[in-house]
Amino acid sequence: MKPLRITDGIVPVGAFKAHASQLIRRVKAEHRPIVITQNGRPAAVLVSPEEFDRLNARERFASAVEEGLADSRAGRVTADEDLDAELNAAFGAKG
């Protein structure tokens, strides 16, 4: 995602309503987010579906890493040998 351009990346909700189709095309073409304001304050951010998916995947990955680190710090770990035994019991020995 390219960075927000302050000069044209912030749009009041009224302007968004009036030019929604054009702004959506611009987000897709320029790969830049648009911040929609309401009463002078940020209310929403418009990004392309691809950018949304990328951000969502990144957040899921970061959450999974943090969960794993928390498990490790809390001592919730399994030795490699024990994991191998559990997987072999569940799915059969590797060939």
Side-chain angles (χ1 to χ4, degrees):
M1 172 172 59
K2 293 181 183 175
L4 176 70
R5 287 188 295 203
I6 299 300
T7 55
D8 62 354
I10 299 175
V11 178
V13 70
F16 177 74
K17 288 178 183 179
H19 305 285
S21 182
Q22 173 189 353
L23 292 168
I24 290 169
R25 281 194 302 273
R26 190 169 88 193
V27 164
K28 291 172 90 175
E30 296 179 7
H31 305 284
R32 293 183 191 274
I34 292 178
V35 176
I36 302 166
T37 61
Q38 192 169 33
N39 300 320
R41 295 177 180 250
V45 178
L46 181 65
V47 296
S48 69
E50 296 81 13
E51 182 62 15
F52 178 81
D53 288 343
R54 188 188 73 77
L55 291 169
N56 198 21
R58 187 175 188 166
E59 175 60 28
R60 285 193 321 269
F61 176 78
S63 293
V65 168
E66 183 53 42
E67 184 179 339
L69 291 172
D71 284 344
S72 178
R73 285 189 296 269
R76 294 185 298 266
V77 296
T78 301
D80 288 344
E81 300 80 25
D82 296 339
L83 179 60
D84 282 342
E86 285 182 40
L87 292 174
N88 287 338
F91 302 107
K94 50 186 171 187

